[in-house]
Amino acid sequence: MWYLCVFYHRLLDYRKPEVESLADLFGAFEDKRRPGNRVLQWRLPQHHHPDSPFYFVDLPSEDVAKNIANRSILVKGIYELWGEGGSYEELEEAVKSYPDERKLPYLGSESTFKITVDSFGKVMSLLEQNERIRGLSYISFKGRVNLKNPDHNFWLMETDDIATNNGLPPVAQRRIFFGREVGGADRKLLPTYQLKSRNYLGPTAMDAEMAFLMANQAQAAPGKLVYDPFVGTGSILVSAAHFGAMTMGADIDIRVVRDGRGPDRNVWSNFKQYGLPMPIALLRADNNLPPWRPGLKEVFDAIICDPPYGVRAGGRKSGGRKLLKGVIGPYTVPDDKRADHIPSTAPYSLAECVHDLLDLAARMLVIGGRLVFFYPVSREEDSCEDHFPEHPCFELVATSEQILSSRYSRVLLTMVKTSSYTEELALAAWMKHLEFKANHSKWLEEGKNLHSSVFSPADVHHSGDSKLSKESKRKYRGKYV
């Protein structure tokens, strides 16, 4: 059945992938063996721009639609559409022609209801909203009005018909929608988990909205075990734990996972702050030298992380410069100094880091498990997809881009494990890594170049024939669009 899906106007590239991941989680697709087929059918309303927050989506049942809307971060609401039109006369005709057997169960005298008037691209006064509601008198509501806790919510939504540039996607003609709310977003979720109220923070703490999006892409749910190999202050695991998943994390900096800023300001206190289940374990571990014993495999349902790619923090691995150069040999820390010992580390290139991450996921994820991580790309390239890391055990199912600067952006990659790990696949993955490393641009190896490009002055001039002169993204008002 087709439903009207209304998005919040932010993070435009993330909207459809999140809904499709949640649709898969809640059983919208029959063929579970082929991740690439788990794509929903979408349709734009008449006269609407592709960046419009209004979309029609085909979902198998109302329960699936409700579960998606109630959990999604970017979906404002999903509605059973009773009618639409370019004018209120057309809307009335459409609503009257909608089958009575679909309308009558929600119009009975034993139920309560509420009508909300909303608009996109303009602001309606309270007087205008009341006039719009009175104009719906042709619908035979028999129940009582309940504004606080109604049985049924109805929405009248209107788009702006002004063709001038107001900082929002253009709408060639006004469109009006009326429908019954099937499910809506939890508006208290993000204010509750916002970083400014977080007990323990670090310079790389993931924004709450993005952390919840990553958890949805990974399909975190009760009974699943989620791992973050670059846990930091635990922002991503907090979002996974909110959805009921068991969590586990690791970080190369023992001071972060063990000490924090004291007994009441550490990773554990962030979980305690929100009343969430504590992580199963927080390890001091190196992504380059994973701590898992030989033979241990396929234990995680999802791996979610934000690898260090040199913008806010550079990657580090165990060893130290002298050890890696062979100036000194391996050493054992004396027992009396182990409690306060800080292991030496050395620079860790992003290409090596991503290869180790994919190898870890190939070994430790269950079949069908998801790897979700951010990856930086150059916007100078015609097709950034050509530079995404690959692994024979995985299928790339979703990409969502967020612009960092005029030259670089970061893409949220969602991969699904489709094959078990074997030595033959490991060799094939290593060959892909060598090809990927050789063909990629030099900034991938040197995080400082990425950092300077992201934070370079905005008034960089490019030649007229430069690929950067092409407008690859529409610019709208708002921080996260």
Side-chain angles (χ1 to χ4, degrees):
M1 179 176 176
W2 287 93
Y3 293 89
L4 177 64
C5 179
V6 181
F7 293 102
Y8 289 109
H9 186 60
R10 58 177 184 259
L11 296 172
L12 305 184
D13 272 2
Y14 292 74
R15 302 182 304 182
K16 289 182 181 179
E18 185 201 20
V19 172
E20 289 175 346
S21 292
L22 293 178
D24 182 35
L25 174 64
F26 294 121
F29 306 107
E30 295 181 0
D31 191 352
K32 292 290 184 180
R33 297 169 297 176
R34 302 181 65 185
N37 288 351
R38 302 175 196 178
V39 178
L40 297 174
Q41 293 185 17
W42 298 87
R43 180 165 53 86
L44 267 173
Q46 191 176 3
H47 306 302
H48 275 240
H49 188 272
D51 291 338
S52 166
F54 296 90
Y55 268 89
F56 295 113
V57 59
D58 187 17
L59 296 172
S61 70
E62 184 169 313
D63 286 339
V64 171
K66 181 178 180 180
N67 289 333
I68 293 173
N70 291 347
R71 171 156 168 171
S72 173
I73 304 301
L74 296 179
V75 171
K76 188 175 183 179
I78 294 181
Y79 309 89
E80 177 193 1
L81 190 66
W82 286 15
E84 63 170 314
S87 64
Y88 279 92
E89 290 74 21
E90 291 182 12
L91 176 67
E92 179 178 351
E93 182 178 348
V95 173
K96 287 181 177 179
S97 62
Y98 193 68
D100 287 340
E101 60 268 20
R102 298 289 305 172
K103 294 186 293 186
L104 293 179
Y106 308 101
L107 302 177
S109 58
E110 69 282 356
S111 63
T112 59
F113 71 95
K114 173 186 176 181
I115 299 177
T116 302
V117 179
D118 196 12
S119 61
F120 181 74
K122 65 179 181 180
V123 177
M124 286 189 185
S125 66
L126 185 60
L127 179 62
E128 290 176 311
Q129 294 181 36
N130 289 334
E131 288 178 355
R132 303 289 198 278
I133 293 175
R134 285 194 291 269
L136 299 174
S137 58
Y138 54 86
I139 302 177
S140 56
F141 291 104
K142 298 179 180 179
R144 294 177 294 105
V145 174
N146 186 334
L147 300 182
K148 291 186 176 181
N149 188 27
D151 296 326
H152 310 298
N153 278 303
F154 296 91
W155 285 71
L156 179 66
M157 293 164 282
E158 183 177 328
T159 60
D160 188 12
D161 58 350
I162 300 176
T164 57
N165 181 15
N166 62 350
L168 295 172
V171 178
Q173 182 178 330
R174 182 175 69 168
R175 204 73 186 163
I176 309 165
F177 306 93
F178 180 81
R180 176 180 63 88
E181 180 183 278
V182 173
D186 181 2
R187 296 171 183 261
K188 297 179 181 179
L189 181 65
L190 295 183
T192 299
Y193 285 91
Q194 59 187 337
L195 290 184
K196 66 181 182 181
S197 62
R198 192 72 56 85
N199 187 29
Y200 177 48
L201 282 179
T204 59
M206 182 62 67
D207 173 72
E209 181 176 42
M210 195 62 70
F212 279 106
L213 279 172
M214 296 174 78
N216 280 341
Q217 285 295 111
Q219 301 179 344
K224 291 189 175 183
L225 179 58
V226 175
Y227 178 63
D228 182 357
F230 309 99
V231 66
T233 57
S235 296
I236 294 176
L237 292 188
V238 164
S239 64
H242 170 82
F243 292 128
M246 298 176 287
T247 58
M248 185 175 180
D251 201 280
I252 195 170
D253 191 344
I254 193 172
R255 295 166 294 183
V256 173
V257 294
R258 184 188 64 185
D259 304 326
R261 294 193 177 95
D264 297 322
R265 294 188 64 190
N266 50 43
V267 180
W268 304 97
S269 67
N270 283 343
F271 288 82
K272 184 178 180 180
Q273 177 182 355
Y274 301 112
L276 300 174
M278 293 295 175
I280 293 175
L282 294 176
L283 311 175
R284 189 280 174 188
D286 182 1
N287 188 56
N288 185 243
L289 297 170
W292 319 111
R293 69 175 185 267
L296 181 65
K297 59 181 180 179
E298 298 189 353
V299 296
F300 299 124
D301 296 284
I303 294 177
I304 320 173
C305 61
D306 183 24
Y309 41 83
V311 175
R312 289 182 290 181
R316 308 294 295 180
K317 64 180 179 180
S318 299
R321 292 181 177 87
K322 292 184 179 180
L323 184 62
L324 294 177
K325 291 179 180 179
V327 177
I328 61 174
Y331 60 92
T332 301
V333 179
D335 292 340
D336 59 333
K337 295 184 178 180
R338 288 193 175 187
D340 299 322
H341 177 69
I342 306 298
S344 300
T345 60
Y348 191 24
S349 71
L350 181 57
E352 187 180 7
C353 175
V354 170
H355 168 72
D356 292 340
L357 176 62
L358 288 171
D359 187 71
L360 166 72
R363 292 174 182 268
M364 303 301 290
L365 278 178
V366 300
I367 296 295
R370 292 196 163 208
L371 170 62
V372 180
F373 66 102
F374 273 112
Y375 181 75
V377 295
S378 171
R379 301 185 67 214
E380 297 183 19
E381 305 294 340
D382 286 333
S383 177
C384 62
E385 286 84 353
D386 296 337
H387 302 288
F388 289 158
E390 299 179 50
H391 195 286
C393 288
F394 289 93
E395 180 176 345
L396 181 64
V397 296
T399 62
S400 305
E401 183 182 11
Q402 184 181 29
I403 296 173
L404 297 177
S405 74
S406 61
R407 297 182 62 192
Y408 293 98
S409 61
R410 67 175 183 175
V411 179
L412 184 65
L413 302 181
T414 303
M415 297 180 170
V416 175
K417 185 176 177 181
T418 56
S419 303
S420 296
Y421 183 89
T422 64
E423 293 302 324
E424 291 77 12
L425 289 180
L427 179 60
W430 177 250
M431 300 305 294
K432 283 183 175 291
H433 164 65
L434 293 179
E435 180 183 358
F436 163 77
K437 184 177 180 180
N439 293 337
H440 212 276
S441 40
K442 187 178 180 181
W443 63 265
L444 186 63
E445 289 293 322
E446 302 178 8
K448 60 183 181 181
N449 293 339
L450 177 59
H451 182 279
S452 61
S453 298
V454 170
F455 293 104
S456 61
D459 56 347
V460 178
H461 298 285
H462 305 285
S463 59
D465 58 349
S466 170
K467 296 172 184 177
L468 292 179
S469 62
K470 301 176 183 178
E471 184 181 357
S472 58
K473 292 278 183 182
R474 295 187 60 88
K475 295 180 175 61
Y476 303 117
R477 68 188 188 207
K479 180 178 179 182
Y480 298 107
V481 177

Short mmCIF file of all heavy atoms in Angstrom, two decimals, residues 32-55:
data_model
loop_
_atom_site.label_atom_id
_atom_site.label_comp_id
_atom_site.label_asym_id
_atom_site.label_seq_id
_atom_site.Cartn_x
_atom_site.Cartn_y
_atom_site.Cartn_z
N LYS A 32 15.35 -12.39 2.08
CA LYS A 32 16.39 -11.98 3.02
C LYS A 32 17.79 -12.34 2.54
O LYS A 32 18.77 -11.90 3.12
CB LYS A 32 16.14 -12.64 4.38
CG LYS A 32 14.89 -12.14 5.09
CD LYS A 32 15.06 -10.72 5.56
CE LYS A 32 13.85 -10.24 6.35
NZ LYS A 32 14.01 -8.86 6.80
N ARG A 33 17.89 -13.16 1.50
CA ARG A 33 19.20 -13.62 1.07
C ARG A 33 19.88 -12.65 0.13
O ARG A 33 21.07 -12.78 -0.13
CB ARG A 33 19.06 -14.99 0.38
CG ARG A 33 18.53 -16.08 1.29
CD ARG A 33 18.17 -17.31 0.49
NE ARG A 33 17.10 -17.01 -0.46
CZ ARG A 33 16.63 -17.89 -1.35
NH1 ARG A 33 17.15 -19.10 -1.41
NH2 ARG A 33 15.66 -17.55 -2.18
N ARG A 34 19.16 -11.70 -0.42
CA ARG A 34 19.73 -10.79 -1.40
C ARG A 34 19.57 -9.35 -0.93
O ARG A 34 18.53 -8.71 -1.16
CB ARG A 34 19.05 -10.98 -2.76
CG ARG A 34 19.16 -12.42 -3.27
CD ARG A 34 18.50 -12.58 -4.62
NE ARG A 34 19.20 -11.80 -5.64
CZ ARG A 34 18.77 -11.68 -6.90
NH1 ARG A 34 17.67 -12.29 -7.28
NH2 ARG A 34 19.45 -10.96 -7.77
N PRO A 35 20.58 -8.80 -0.24
CA PRO A 35 20.48 -7.45 0.30
C PRO A 35 20.22 -6.39 -0.76
O PRO A 35 19.55 -5.40 -0.51
CB PRO A 35 21.86 -7.24 0.95
CG PRO A 35 22.40 -8.60 1.18
CD PRO A 35 21.85 -9.45 0.09
N GLY A 36 20.77 -6.58 -1.96
CA GLY A 36 20.62 -5.58 -3.01
C GLY A 36 19.17 -5.40 -3.45
O GLY A 36 18.83 -4.39 -4.06
N ASN A 37 18.30 -6.38 -3.18
CA ASN A 37 16.90 -6.29 -3.58
C ASN A 37 16.05 -5.58 -2.53
O ASN A 37 14.85 -5.42 -2.73
CB ASN A 37 16.32 -7.69 -3.83
CG ASN A 37 16.87 -8.29 -5.11
OD1 ASN A 37 17.53 -7.60 -5.88
ND2 ASN A 37 16.60 -9.56 -5.32
N ARG A 38 16.66 -5.19 -1.42
CA ARG A 38 15.88 -4.58 -0.35
C ARG A 38 15.77 -3.08 -0.56
O ARG A 38 16.30 -2.26 0.18
CB ARG A 38 16.53 -4.89 1.00
CG ARG A 38 16.68 -6.38 1.26
CD ARG A 38 17.42 -6.67 2.54
NE ARG A 38 17.87 -8.05 2.55
CZ ARG A 38 18.59 -8.58 3.53
NH1 ARG A 38 18.94 -7.84 4.55
NH2 ARG A 38 18.97 -9.83 3.48
N VAL A 39 15.07 -2.72 -1.64
CA VAL A 39 14.88 -1.33 -2.00
C VAL A 39 13.39 -1.07 -2.13
O VAL A 39 12.67 -1.83 -2.80
CB VAL A 39 15.60 -0.99 -3.33
CG1 VAL A 39 15.34 0.46 -3.71
CG2 VAL A 39 17.09 -1.26 -3.20
N LEU A 40 12.92 -0.01 -1.52
CA LEU A 40 11.50 0.33 -1.56
C LEU A 40 11.19 1.10 -2.84
O LEU A 40 12.07 1.69 -3.47
CB LEU A 40 11.13 1.18 -0.34
CG LEU A 40 11.28 0.52 1.03
CD1 LEU A 40 11.03 1.54 2.13
CD2 LEU A 40 10.30 -0.64 1.18
N GLN A 41 9.92 1.10 -3.20
CA GLN A 41 9.45 1.92 -4.31
C GLN A 41 9.05 3.29 -3.78
O GLN A 41 8.26 3.39 -2.84
CB GLN A 41 8.26 1.25 -5.01
CG GLN A 41 8.63 -0.05 -5.72
CD GLN A 41 7.45 -0.62 -6.49
OE1 GLN A 41 6.48 0.08 -6.76
NE2 GLN A 41 7.54 -1.89 -6.86
N TRP A 42 9.60 4.33 -4.40
CA TRP A 42 9.32 5.71 -4.00
C TRP A 42 8.69 6.46 -5.17
O TRP A 42 8.98 6.17 -6.34
CB TRP A 42 10.60 6.42 -3.59
CG TRP A 42 11.30 5.83 -2.40
CD1 TRP A 42 12.22 4.81 -2.41
CD2 TRP A 42 11.13 6.19 -1.03
NE1 TRP A 42 12.65 4.53 -1.14
CE2 TRP A 42 12.00 5.37 -0.27
CE3 TRP A 42 10.35 7.14 -0.38
CZ2 TRP A 42 12.09 5.47 1.11
CZ3 TRP A 42 10.44 7.25 1.01
CH2 TRP A 42 11.30 6.41 1.74
N ARG A 43 7.87 7.43 -4.83
CA ARG A 43 7.24 8.25 -5.87
C ARG A 43 7.05 9.67 -5.34
O ARG A 43 6.60 9.87 -4.22
CB ARG A 43 5.89 7.63 -6.26
CG ARG A 43 5.14 8.37 -7.34
CD ARG A 43 4.02 7.50 -7.91
NE ARG A 43 3.15 6.95 -6.89
CZ ARG A 43 2.08 7.58 -6.38
NH1 ARG A 43 1.77 8.80 -6.80
NH2 ARG A 43 1.33 6.99 -5.47
N LEU A 44 7.42 10.65 -6.17
CA LEU A 44 7.27 12.05 -5.78
C LEU A 44 5.85 12.53 -6.03
O LEU A 44 5.23 12.16 -7.04
CB LEU A 44 8.24 12.93 -6.57
CG LEU A 44 9.60 13.25 -5.97
CD1 LEU A 44 10.45 13.98 -6.99
CD2 LEU A 44 9.48 14.06 -4.69
N PRO A 45 5.31 13.41 -5.16
CA PRO A 45 4.03 14.04 -5.47
C PRO A 45 4.17 14.93 -6.71
O PRO A 45 5.26 15.33 -7.10
CB PRO A 45 3.74 14.88 -4.22
CG PRO A 45 4.57 14.28 -3.14
CD PRO A 45 5.80 13.75 -3.82
N GLN A 46 3.07 15.25 -7.30
CA GLN A 46 3.06 16.07 -8.51
C GLN A 46 3.68 17.44 -8.25
O GLN A 46 3.41 18.07 -7.22
CB GLN A 46 1.62 16.21 -9.01
CG GLN A 46 1.48 16.81 -10.39
CD GLN A 46 0.04 16.83 -10.87
OE1 GLN A 46 -0.86 16.45 -10.13
NE2 GLN A 46 -0.17 17.26 -12.09
N HIS A 47 4.54 17.89 -9.17
CA HIS A 47 5.17 19.21 -9.13
C HIS A 47 6.20 19.36 -8.01
O HIS A 47 6.57 20.49 -7.68
CB HIS A 47 4.13 20.33 -8.99
CG HIS A 47 3.05 20.31 -10.02
ND1 HIS A 47 3.31 20.36 -11.37
CD2 HIS A 47 1.69 20.20 -9.89
CE1 HIS A 47 2.16 20.31 -12.04
NE2 HIS A 47 1.18 20.20 -11.17
N HIS A 48 6.69 18.27 -7.43
CA HIS A 48 7.62 18.37 -6.32
C HIS A 48 9.05 18.09 -6.76
O HIS A 48 9.30 17.25 -7.63
CB HIS A 48 7.23 17.43 -5.19
CG HIS A 48 6.22 18.01 -4.25
ND1 HIS A 48 6.46 18.19 -2.91
CD2 HIS A 48 4.98 18.48 -4.47
CE1 HIS A 48 5.40 18.73 -2.34
NE2 HIS A 48 4.49 18.90 -3.27
N HIS A 49 9.98 18.81 -6.18
CA HIS A 49 11.41 18.65 -6.44
C HIS A 49 11.91 17.40 -5.72
O HIS A 49 11.38 17.02 -4.67
CB HIS A 49 12.16 19.89 -5.93
CG HIS A 49 13.59 19.94 -6.31
ND1 HIS A 49 14.58 19.36 -5.55
CD2 HIS A 49 14.21 20.51 -7.37
CE1 HIS A 49 15.75 19.56 -6.13
NE2 HIS A 49 15.57 20.26 -7.22
N PRO A 50 12.96 16.70 -6.25
CA PRO A 50 13.47 15.51 -5.56
C PRO A 50 13.94 15.75 -4.13
O PRO A 50 13.97 14.81 -3.34
CB PRO A 50 14.66 15.08 -6.46
CG PRO A 50 14.29 15.59 -7.81
CD PRO A 50 13.56 16.87 -7.59
N ASP A 51 14.28 16.98 -3.78
CA ASP A 51 14.68 17.28 -2.41
C ASP A 51 13.50 17.62 -1.51
O ASP A 51 13.69 18.00 -0.35
CB ASP A 51 15.67 18.45 -2.39
CG ASP A 51 17.01 18.08 -3.00
OD1 ASP A 51 17.32 16.87 -3.04
OD2 ASP A 51 17.75 18.98 -3.44
N SER A 52 12.31 17.50 -2.03
CA SER A 52 11.11 17.78 -1.23
C SER A 52 11.01 16.82 -0.05
O SER A 52 11.42 15.66 -0.14
CB SER A 52 9.86 17.63 -2.11
OG SER A 52 8.69 17.58 -1.33
N PRO A 53 10.45 17.27 1.06
CA PRO A 53 10.26 16.36 2.20
C PRO A 53 9.07 15.42 2.03
O PRO A 53 8.87 14.53 2.86
CB PRO A 53 10.02 17.32 3.38
CG PRO A 53 9.43 18.53 2.76
CD PRO A 53 10.07 18.66 1.40
N PHE A 54 8.28 15.59 0.98
CA PHE A 54 7.10 14.76 0.76
C PHE A 54 7.42 13.67 -0.27
O PHE A 54 7.88 13.96 -1.37
CB PHE A 54 5.93 15.60 0.25
CG PHE A 54 5.45 16.63 1.24
CD1 PHE A 54 5.99 17.91 1.24
CD2 PHE A 54 4.47 16.32 2.17
CE1 PHE A 54 5.56 18.86 2.14
CE2 PHE A 54 4.04 17.27 3.09
CZ PHE A 54 4.59 18.54 3.07
N TYR A 55 7.14 12.43 0.12
CA TYR A 55 7.35 11.29 -0.78
C TYR A 55 6.24 10.27 -0.54
O TYR A 55 5.75 10.12 0.58
CB TYR A 55 8.70 10.62 -0.53
CG TYR A 55 9.82 11.13 -1.38
CD1 TYR A 55 10.59 12.20 -0.97
CD2 TYR A 55 10.11 10.55 -2.62
CE1 TYR A 55 11.64 12.68 -1.75
CE2 TYR A 55 11.14 11.01 -3.40
CZ TYR A 55 11.91 12.08 -2.98
OH TYR A 55 12.94 12.55 -3.76
#
